Structures are given as structure tokens and as C-alpha cells.
Amino acid sequence: MKFGVVGYKGRIGKLILDVFTTDNHVPVLLVDKDEIIEKDSPDVIVDFSTPDALKITKTLCEKHQSKLVIGTTALNKEHFKLLENLSKNFAIVQSFNFSIGINILLDVLEKINNIFKDWDCEITEIHHSKKKDKPSGTAILLKEAINRDLEIHSLRLGGIPGDHSILFSNEGELIEIKHRAISRKVFAIGALKAAKFILKKQNGFFTFKDIIKEELQ
Amino acid sequence: MKFGVVGYKGRIGKLILDVFTTDNHVPVLLVDKDEIIEKDSPDVIVDFSTPDALKITKTLCEKHQSKLVIGTTALNKEHFKLLENLSKNFAIVQSFNFSIGINILLDVLEKINNIFKDWDCEITEIHHSKKKDKPSGTAILLKEAINRDLEIHSLRLGGIPGDHSILFSNEGELIEIKHRAISRKVFAIGALKAAKFILKKQNGFFTFKDIIKEELQ
Amino acid sequence: MKFGVVGYKGRIGKLILDVFTTDNHVPVLLVDKDEIIEKDSPDVIVDFSTPDALKITKTLCEKHQSKLVIGTTALNKEHFKLLENLSKNFAIVQSFNFSIGINILLDVLEKINNIFKDWDCEITEIHHSKKKDKPSGTAILLKEAINRDLEIHSLRLGGIPGDHSILFSNEGELIEIKHRAISRKVFAIGALKAAKFILKKQNGFFTFKDIIKEELQ
Amino acid sequence: MKFGVVGYKGRIGKLILDVFTTDNHVPVLLVDKDEIIEKDSPDVIVDFSTPDALKITKTLCEKHQSKLVIGTTALNKEHFKLLENLSKNFAIVQSFNFSIGINILLDVLEKINNIFKDWDCEITEIHHSKKKDKPSGTAILLKEAINRDLEIHSLRLGGIPGDHSILFSNEGELIEIKHRAISRKVFAIGALKAAKFILKKQNGFFTFKDIIKEELQ
């Protein structure tokens, strides 16, 4: 596919460029602060930059008739209104978490939490020592998917990008489901999956969960 | 119920005797190498011994009109033919693993294997050093549920009752699903569950999955 | 060796009989409440019973000129005085924890804690849901061996006999040292190791640490 | 210092360039397949490429009077002979693993392998799917430190930089020592440490162990 990147000089922007081109897709639109390089009209624009960039991104989608994958965090109600309007004519995937693995786990846990209702359950998560919030946002999402009051144990150690572990146990058995983020590339790989998903859609507002659901059918 | 145990002097045979009699069932048929103690006709015969014993077990089922719970590993095609023939007249539960947790995992893996199709996958299993077959029957079941050609790594260490681990990884993430049998009693408890299930059936070939399905309805 | 067991009908007494006889040692003295079976003079007497039994145990050591392995918990100062007096003529191994693995870890951690002083460190421990104290006594021993103020995370899940994990991490690496108690047999195996150690000693008061140290030389 | 990199376009080559230049060292010699860029004589040449490149590396060391840090895996006896000859005139650091954690583990394992002699032991290692050699050089070093004939299980999965696990188990306990390289930068950081170490040496064949020992004094 032909793709565009908003914030292409940023940390995740670089990873998106790397992951997409490695999969043989062609960057035709590169946007960063005060800079727009337009070689062709992209099929999909990928934006993991800042909320401020959203207006430019919207204009570019309309100009080039491009679909949108947006992973920008800290979006407010106004931003969501803008995205919903845009989604009437263009297909959009929006999510605060583009890790495929975590989204799969959330989906699976929602499905199986009932089976484990008479097993004990606790969660552990490990992140680098510079992370200040406890527990992690992802651990809270996991707890919500299990839909139960349970303990979360937060370890802060060295340079760990992000480990999450859900433990279920009864008298005779232990099941542990572990997720490890190997690197930040995770989010770029998730963006590529989202871009491929959205290519097949005309318009509409989708989240990462919709991608997982379609694959699980 | 009245029950029989083939291989009653073996490690799991002893646990089956223990778990069944603790639940107030009566052992009326005890079989081991060169030894058959017949006090009465059992409702169910439980066999977790060796493939060689299967012929005697079959003869005893026919003689006593008993149903069969069979957990013997390393069964080949010929053994399965024998069981299928027997199941025309007698209800049989056959499984390579009688733990609830493993059977839940098998069910989940069948549902989600499609979404992991572009992730690498390998399996590791650890069992006590006296276990002779490699890989474990359970690891083979897990591989079949994932429905892919993949490597199974078998460790034989000390007194481990049974660990199984399925690892999925792509460039940026690792998901590991681990199961631990805390003690071998797990399998005897599963055998009792199977015996109670089969008491209500006339004939037919069942697996532990059918028990889980019926329980979850 | 010829050995004796005080409290041979108790849960750990039975395991001691099992582990020692499996290793081809001969039980010649069996003691329990109101019962003493004396066939011969044991080389070593093993006592994992109650503090009340200690006086009888002492008398039997003196009568048969036997060495002593004692794993009874809740010993007080008076009991220790008695043991110290006895140790002038007979070799004794006393410990509150006969798990070989935990004692090795304690020894190793004391030696290497200095090397890891600029790595982050936390401890997790998992025990069955019926265990009431948090953190486990073993976790506290591990923390003392590391000799640092660190967090201990206690999980209470199903039927886990006892997992302990020490995690060290810096910016680029993670080292995790995990210990799992597979079953209560652990303590009987440790008692056998202690009995073999003490056979070579004339007299003196030893702990499990001394055994580890001798092996590490 | 002025440094050279053999295999500078490779994955680890790039990281070495990044880590050394970030620490204000100057690349003056860059070598890759069919390409040699020589700007000046390097104080140290760093080679983490392939065994085939070793002859060129040797020639360049002699031409420029450079010391050598070599982390190439899968070296055979012939390669080691070549390195030993070279070390008569030039200081060399050779290691199959340049991480501090692994080298601490090697040291600890050598000290404690004796106490585990009646425990079963196996090793597992996980690396990214592009790593071709099996088992990893590090796993071989760990095996040598344990000084025993044991099985190494090699998993090749996704983007894992490098996990190693040593499992010891007897009838009642399991001890698992796990090491995780959080990112491949670990090895480049270790290479820089080695380069600084070797600057102070005239000649001789050193390993990473010698660096650890000197630091701990």
C-alpha cells in the first residue's frame, strides 16, 4: 500500500516508517512540524503524534481521500467529535493501545473469565523503574476484562519495557498468562495490522478490538 | 459406584484408589502385572497404566459389562481402533490429559490459533525424570489445538508433576501461556469426574472435552 | 545406615521413612506417642515431631550412641540448651528449614548481593490460599540474605505449596532466581542429606548452612 | 578512542556504532561485505560479525596495530588458534556473551555446580527467529560452567533479544535461574566496556570474566 506518516521524525514515527517499508509498503506522505512532503496520495495515513496535529491530519485525509490509523494519546471529546465526523466518509481505526497481544488477551479474558470463577486470580506487572504510575493502565484494563475484585502487584525494576502476568489457580492447577512487550516496535506492528484492516473498509469508526474480533471469527 | 483399577500398584493407580475411595466408591476389581483380584463387577473400570494392558482391560470390560475411563498415554492407531470397537457397546472416556485447566486451554487455543498465525510458536513441557515418553501426550494435544507444525521441547527433571508452556512471539511481543499441575492428584480427580460423567451414558466414545462442554452448558 | 524416626506416624515422619528406605537405609527404631519399637541401635535418629518429644529423643540418643537430625519447629531456649549439651558428645544437625534449595539460595545471595548493589531488586512469593501469614518466613530470610530494603509481593493462590522469586534488573538485563517447592518431600530429602553429613562427624552442633558450606568447598 | 567496526551494517554493528559514538569515540574504520572504509588507524577494532570475517579482521589488526574486541559466535578451534597467535602481539577480549549478568551467572554456577551434582539439570534459551546457530554460544558457556553433560533446548521466536534459563530439580524442589537481555544494546555496552579495558593492556588473550574480576577487586 501507499502510506503517510504524521510525526515521521518522532520515536514511534520512525518505527512506523521502518515496519511499514520492511513489509514493502511505500511512504508517499511525510509530515512533521512545519514540514509536509507529498509525493502521492496515500491509501492510509498513520498518526501517532500529538493532539495538535489532528486538524492537519484531517485536512490531508480529505485532500487525498485517505483512510486513517490514529494512535495519538490524550485525545479529548472535541478530538473524538472531529474523528466521528471524519469517519462518516473515511474508515478510521482509533485506539490508545496498539499492542496486538494485549488486545487479544483482553478479548480472551472477557470470554473465559466465567470459566475461572471458582479459581483464585491475581495480577503482577513489571515496568522500568522510571514509570511512576502504579498499577499500569494495562493492568487496570486486564482487571476490568476479568471483571473481578483482585490484587495487582506492581514491580518497578531496571529497564523492563512492560511485563503483565495473570495467574489463575485452584487446589490442583496453576494457569499463568504472561505478556511481554519486547520493544516499542509493538505499536508500529499494531499500526500496520490496523492499516491492512482498514484498507478493506469504506468508512466507519473502528477500534483495535474490532480488528481482533474480525480475526477471531 | 463400584469401580475397578488397572495398574492399581502404580503411582497414578494408587492416587485413583485414594481419590475414589475417599469419595465413598468401592474398589471391586484390582489389576496389575500378573495379578487380577475380582470381587464383583465394577460399573466403571479406570485404566491409567500402559498400552500393553489394553487387551486385558478390554476383556474385563466385556466380561463385567463395565464402562471405561482410559488415561493411558502413548496409544497408537491400533489401540484407538480397539477402543472405537469397544465403544459401540460400552461408554468410554479417553483423554491424554484429565486436568480441567489443560482442557480449558485446548478449547481457548482452538478458538484463538487463527489470530496468532503470523506469530512464531513453540511448546515446552517439563515432567519428572521417570516419565519415558517424549513429548507428553498433553503437548501433542496442545500442538493439535494450535493446528500448526511446531517444535515441542521436552525437559525431564526431578519430580515435576507436569508443566506445559505455549509461547507465541512476533517482532515486538511475547505471550506465554503456562499450565502447572500442582500434584498428580489432579489426574485422579479428573478421572473421578469422568467416571461420574460416563455412568449416565450407554455407549459411545467421549473425551474430556465433552465433559467440559456439558459442565459449561 | 541404620536410622530411627521419632514421630514416624506423622505426615513428615512417613515421608522420612519413605525417602530413607528408598535410599536403602534401614529403620531400626520407630517412635511415636506411647510407642517405641527398638530393633537395633540406629546410627542417626531423625526427629521432626514436637518439642515435647525432645527429652525422649535425647534419652534414646544417649542409650544407642546415635547422632541426631532435628527439624522440630517452635523450639525454645531451654530446648536449645538441651541440644547444646547433647552436642558435646553427639553430632547434631538442627535447622528450621531443611529445603536444600532454599539454603543454597540463602548462601549464594549472601555471597553475591554485593555484586548486584546497583541493580534494582524485588521479591515475589506465592503460597496456597490457606496460608495466613504475609510475607512468608522464607521470603523474610531471603530479604535478610540480600541485606537491603526491598519490596516483597505476596500472592495467595489455590494449592501452591511455595514459590519464591528474587528479581534483579538494571537498564539492560533481568536476572530472576526462582524456587519452587514441589511437595513436602523436600524436607525429608533434606533430612537424609543431613543424616549423611552427620555420619562423618564425631560431635558438635551444626545447622543446614554448615552442610551447604562443606559441599561448596 | 578511535575505533573500527567489522560488520558495521549488521544489526549489532549498528548498535556498536551508536553506543561508541554516543560515548564520544570516533569511528575510523568501517568494514562490511566487499567494503572497507579506512580513515585512520583505530585503537581498537570491534568484530561481532561472522567467523568468515576473522581473517580480514586479523589482517586489519596487524596493519593498524589495533587491539581487538571479538564477540562473533560459532568460532571453531581453528579460529581460536588464529586468535591466540594474534594475542601474542595484540591484546584481545573474546567472549560469546558481553553481558554483565551472564558473566556473573557463569561465575556463580562454577562455584555452586558441585552442590547440585545429584539434581537434574537442563538449559533452555530463546532467541529471535533470525538467529541461525543452535544452541547459542552463551548456552554453551553456561553448560561448561555447570560442567556436566546436559540437554540444551533452543527456541527461535519473534524478536526475543536473548533469554537463558538454567533449571535444577530433584524429587522435591525446582530452582530456575533466568537471564533476560532486555535489548541487544546490552552487548554493545559490554563491547564498549571491553574496549576500555583492553586499551590498558599490551597483549594477551582475555575474556569478559577477566573484566568482571578486575571490576570487583
Side-chain angles (χ1 to χ4, degrees):
Chain A
M1 79 182 83
K2 290 180 285 186
F3 70 98
V5 182
V6 178
Y8 80 100
K9 288 178 178 171
R11 211 164 176 178
I12 297 197
K14 278 181 195 165
L15 291 170
I16 286 165
L17 259 176
D18 178 22
V19 165
F20 276 62
T21 53
T22 301
D23 200 44
N24 296 317
H25 304 291
V26 185
V28 297
L29 174 68
L30 296 173
V31 182
D32 216 286
K33 270 186 184 174
D34 310 324
E35 184 186 4
I36 300 186
I37 305 169
E38 290 177 283
K39 296 179 191 166
D40 198 347
S41 287
D43 301 308
V44 178
I45 294 175
V46 184
D47 182 357
F48 276 65
S49 64
T50 62
D52 298 340
L54 194 52
K55 278 188 188 168
I56 297 158
T57 299
K58 186 203 165 203
T59 310
L60 289 167
C61 283
E62 288 168 342
K63 177 179 175 190
H64 291 292
Q65 299 287 302
S66 307
K67 287 149 186 183
L68 176 61
V69 172
I70 181 146
T72 304
T73 55
L75 299 178
N76 61 27
K77 281 186 189 174
E78 219 170 304
H79 298 123
F80 274 103
K81 246 184 221 165
L82 183 155
L83 289 172
E84 270 162 45
N85 275 327
L86 193 65
S87 73
K88 286 170 190 162
N89 298 314
F90 303 93
I92 295 178
V93 173
Q94 184 278 330
S95 202
F96 290 131
N97 190 329
F98 275 75
S99 145
I100 300 168
I102 287 293
N103 279 282
I104 293 172
L105 288 189
L106 290 172
D107 190 74
V108 169
L109 287 171
E110 273 173 20
K111 275 182 188 134
I112 66 174
N113 62 18
N114 193 44
I115 304 176
F116 284 117
K117 64 179 180 287
D118 54 348
W119 295 49
D120 297 326
C121 181
E122 299 193 24
I123 290 173
T124 64
E125 53 101 348
I126 315 178
H127 282 87
H128 54 92
S129 53
K130 282 161 199 155
K131 183 174 178 70
K132 282 166 195 170
D133 53 318
K134 281 190 185 187
S136 69
T138 302
I140 293 168
L141 288 177
L142 290 167
K143 181 178 172 173
E144 286 170 2
I146 295 163
N147 194 22
R148 215 201 284 195
D149 190 33
L150 53 79
E151 265 193 77
I152 299 174
H153 304 268
S154 298
L155 288 75
R156 294 290 170 263
L157 288 170
I160 308 288
D163 279 18
H164 289 87
S165 189
I166 307 114
L167 297 100
F168 293 101
S169 182
N170 66 10
E171 196 52 38
E173 302 175 71
L174 172 69
I175 289 178
E176 185 175 4
I177 302 171
K178 303 176 81 169
H179 179 271
R180 185 200 299 184
I182 297 172
S183 78
R184 280 168 195 248
K185 231 179 186 173
V186 172
F187 307 113
I189 294 168
L192 177 58
K193 196 175 201 71
K196 286 177 177 177
F197 168 87
I198 211 122
L199 270 185
K200 298 171 289 180
K201 309 291 173 193
Q202 276 296 355
N203 55 8
F205 187 92
F206 303 91
T207 69
F208 212 92
K209 266 194 189 172
D210 299 308
I211 302 172
I212 302 291
K213 270 180 200 158
E214 199 176 272
E215 291 226 355
L216 282 177
Q217 277 169 354
Chain B
M1 78 182 84
K2 290 179 286 183
F3 70 99
V5 182
V6 178
Y8 80 100
K9 288 179 177 169
R11 228 164 166 171
I12 296 200
K14 280 179 193 166
L15 291 169
I16 286 165
L17 261 175
D18 178 24
V19 166
F20 275 64
T21 53
T22 301
D23 200 44
N24 296 319
H25 305 290
V26 185
V28 296
L29 173 68
L30 296 172
V31 182
D32 216 287
K33 269 186 186 175
D34 310 324
E35 184 185 4
I36 300 186
I37 304 168
E38 291 176 282
K39 298 177 188 166
D40 199 348
S41 287
D43 302 308
V44 178
I45 294 175
V46 184
D47 181 356
F48 277 64
S49 64
T50 61
D52 297 340
L54 194 50
K55 278 187 188 169
I56 297 158
T57 300
K58 186 204 165 202
T59 310
L60 289 165
C61 283
E62 288 168 341
K63 179 179 173 189
H64 293 291
Q65 298 287 304
S66 308
K67 287 149 188 183
L68 176 61
V69 172
I70 181 148
T72 304
T73 56
L75 298 178
N76 61 27
K77 283 185 187 175
E78 221 171 301
H79 298 123
F80 275 103
K81 249 184 217 166
L82 183 154
L83 289 172
E84 271 162 46
N85 276 326
L86 193 65
S87 73
K88 287 169 190 163
N89 299 313
F90 303 94
I92 295 177
V93 173
Q94 184 278 330
S95 202
F96 288 130
N97 192 301
F98 278 75
S99 93
I100 300 168
I102 286 293
N103 281 282
I104 292 171
L105 287 190
L106 291 172
D107 193 67
V108 170
L109 287 171
E110 273 173 19
K111 276 178 188 140
I112 67 174
N113 61 19
N114 192 43
I115 205 164
F116 283 118
K117 63 179 181 285
D118 53 348
W119 295 49
D120 296 325
C121 181
E122 299 194 23
I123 290 173
T124 63
E125 52 102 348
I126 315 179
H127 282 88
H128 54 93
S129 53
K130 280 160 199 155
K131 185 174 177 69
K132 283 167 193 169
D133 53 314
K134 278 189 188 186
S136 68
T138 301
I140 293 168
L141 289 177
L142 291 166
K143 181 178 173 172
E144 286 170 3
I146 296 163
N147 194 21
R148 213 202 287 194
D149 190 33
L150 53 78
E151 265 194 77
I152 300 173
H153 305 268
S154 297
L155 287 76
R156 294 293 170 263
L157 288 171
I160 308 289
D163 280 18
H164 289 87
S165 190
I166 306 113
L167 298 102
F168 292 101
S169 182
N170 65 11
E171 195 55 34
E173 301 175 75
L174 172 69
I175 288 178
E176 185 175 3
I177 302 170
K178 301 175 83 168
H179 178 271
R180 185 200 299 183
I182 294 172
S183 84
R184 288 192 196 141
K185 234 179 183 170
V186 172
F187 308 114
I189 292 167
L192 178 57
K193 195 187 257 316
K196 287 176 177 175
F197 168 88
I198 211 124
L199 271 185
K200 300 170 287 179
K201 310 291 174 189
Q202 275 296 356
N203 57 9
F205 188 94
F206 302 92
T207 68
F208 210 90
K209 264 191 193 173
D210 299 307
I211 302 171
I212 298 285
K213 271 178 200 160
E214 203 177 270
E215 285 224 349
L216 288 176
Q217 277 169 355
Chain C
M1 77 183 84
K2 290 180 285 184
F3 69 99
V5 182
V6 178
Y8 81 100
K9 288 179 179 171
R11 211 165 174 178
I12 296 197
K14 278 181 195 167
L15 291 171
I16 286 164
L17 259 176
D18 178 22
V19 166
F20 276 63
T21 54
T22 301
D23 200 46
N24 297 317
H25 305 290
V26 186
V28 297
L29 174 67
L30 296 172
V31 183
D32 215 287
K33 270 186 183 175
D34 311 324
E35 184 185 6
I36 300 187
I37 304 168
E38 291 177 282
K39 298 178 190 169
D40 199 348
S41 288
D43 302 306
V44 178
I45 293 175
V46 185
D47 182 357
F48 275 65
S49 63
T50 61
D52 297 341
L54 195 50
K55 279 187 187 169
I56 297 159
T57 300
K58 186 203 166 203
T59 310
L60 289 167
C61 283
E62 289 167 341
K63 178 180 174 189
H64 292 291
Q65 298 287 303
S66 306
K67 288 148 184 182
L68 176 61
V69 173
I70 182 148
T72 304
T73 55
L75 298 178
N76 60 27
K77 282 186 188 175
E78 220 170 303
H79 298 124
F80 274 103
K81 248 183 219 167
L82 183 155
L83 289 173
E84 271 163 45
N85 276 326
L86 192 65
S87 72
K88 286 169 190 163
N89 299 312
F90 303 93
I92 294 177
V93 174
Q94 184 278 330
S95 202
F96 290 130
N97 190 329
F98 275 76
S99 144
I100 300 167
I102 288 293
N103 279 282
I104 292 171
L105 288 189
L106 291 171
D107 189 75
V108 170
L109 287 171
E110 273 173 21
K111 275 181 188 135
I112 66 174
N113 62 19
N114 193 44
I115 304 176
F116 284 117
K117 63 178 179 288
D118 53 348
W119 295 49
D120 297 326
C121 182
E122 300 193 25
I123 290 175
T124 64
E125 53 102 346
I126 315 179
H127 282 87
H128 53 91
S129 53
K130 281 160 199 156
K131 184 174 179 68
K132 282 166 193 169
D133 53 317
K134 280 189 186 187
S136 69
T138 302
I140 293 167
L141 288 176
L142 290 167
K143 181 178 172 172
E144 287 170 2
I146 296 164
N147 194 21
R148 213 203 285 195
D149 190 34
L150 52 79
E151 265 193 77
I152 300 175
H153 304 269
S154 297
L155 288 77
R156 294 291 170 263
L157 288 171
I160 307 290
D163 280 17
H164 289 86
S165 189
I166 307 114
L167 297 100
F168 294 101
S169 182
N170 65 11
E171 195 54 37
E173 300 175 73
L174 171 70
I175 289 178
E176 185 175 3
I177 302 171
K178 303 176 81 167
H179 179 271
R180 186 200 299 184
I182 296 171
S183 79
R184 280 170 193 247
K185 231 179 185 172
V186 172
F187 307 113
I189 294 169
L192 178 57
K193 196 174 202 71
K196 287 178 176 175
F197 168 87
I198 211 122
L199 271 185
K200 299 169 289 179
K201 309 291 175 192
Q202 275 296 355
N203 54 9
F205 187 93
F206 303 92
T207 68
F208 212 92
K209 265 194 190 172
D210 299 308
I211 301 173
I212 302 292
K213 270 179 199 156
E214 200 177 272
E215 290 226 355
L216 281 176
Q217 276 169 355
Chain D
M1 78 181 86
K2 290 179 284 183
F3 70 99
V5 181
V6 178
Y8 81 100
K9 289 179 177 170
R11 228 164 166 171
I12 297 199
K14 280 180 194 166
L15 291 170
I16 287 165
L17 261 175
D18 177 23
V19 166
F20 276 63
T21 52
T22 300
D23 201 44
N24 296 319
H25 304 290
V26 185
V28 297
L29 173 67
L30 297 173
V31 182
D32 216 288
K33 268 186 186 174
D34 310 322
E35 184 185 4
I36 300 185
I37 304 168
E38 290 176 282
K39 297 178 191 167
D40 199 350
S41 286
D43 301 308
V44 178
I45 293 174
V46 184
D47 181 357
F48 277 63
S49 64
T50 61
D52 297 339
L54 193 51
K55 279 188 186 166
I56 298 159
T57 300
K58 185 203 165 202
T59 309
L60 289 166
C61 283
E62 289 168 341
K63 178 180 172 188
H64 292 291
Q65 299 287 303
S66 307
K67 286 148 187 184
L68 175 61
V69 172
I70 181 148
T72 304
T73 55
L75 298 178
N76 60 27
K77 283 184 187 174
E78 221 170 302
H79 299 123
F80 275 103
K81 248 184 217 164
L82 183 156
L83 289 172
E84 271 163 44
N85 276 326
L86 192 65
S87 73
K88 287 169 190 164
N89 299 314
F90 304 93
I92 295 177
V93 173
Q94 184 277 329
S95 202
F96 288 130
N97 193 301
F98 277 76
S99 93
I100 299 168
I102 286 292
N103 281 282
I104 292 172
L105 287 189
L106 291 172
D107 192 69
V108 170
L109 286 171
E110 272 173 20
K111 276 177 188 140
I112 67 174
N113 62 18
N114 193 42
I115 205 165
F116 283 119
K117 63 178 178 287
D118 53 349
W119 296 49
D120 296 325
C121 182
E122 300 194 24
I123 290 174
T124 63
E125 52 103 346
I126 315 180
H127 282 87
H128 54 93
S129 53
K130 281 162 198 154
K131 185 175 178 67
K132 282 168 195 169
D133 53 316
K134 281 190 185 186
S136 69
T138 302
I140 293 169
L141 289 176
L142 291 166
K143 182 178 173 173
E144 286 170 3
I146 296 163
N147 194 21
R148 213 202 286 194
D149 189 33
L150 52 77
E151 265 193 76
I152 301 174
H153 304 269
S154 297
L155 287 75
R156 294 291 170 263
L157 287 172
I160 308 289
D163 280 18
H164 289 86
S165 190
I166 306 113
L167 298 102
F168 293 101
S169 182
N170 64 12
E171 195 54 36
E173 300 175 75
L174 172 69
I175 289 179
E176 186 175 3
I177 303 171
K178 301 175 82 168
H179 178 271
R180 186 200 298 184
I182 294 172
S183 83
R184 288 193 196 140
K185 233 179 183 170
V186 172
F187 308 114
I189 293 166
L192 178 59
K193 196 186 256 315
K196 286 176 177 176
F197 168 88
I198 211 123
L199 271 185
K200 299 169 288 178
K201 309 291 174 190
Q202 275 297 356
N203 56 7
F205 187 94
F206 302 93
T207 69
F208 209 91
K209 265 191 194 172
D210 299 308
I211 302 172
I212 298 283
K213 272 178 201 159
E214 202 176 270
E215 284 225 348
L216 287 177
Q217 276 169 356

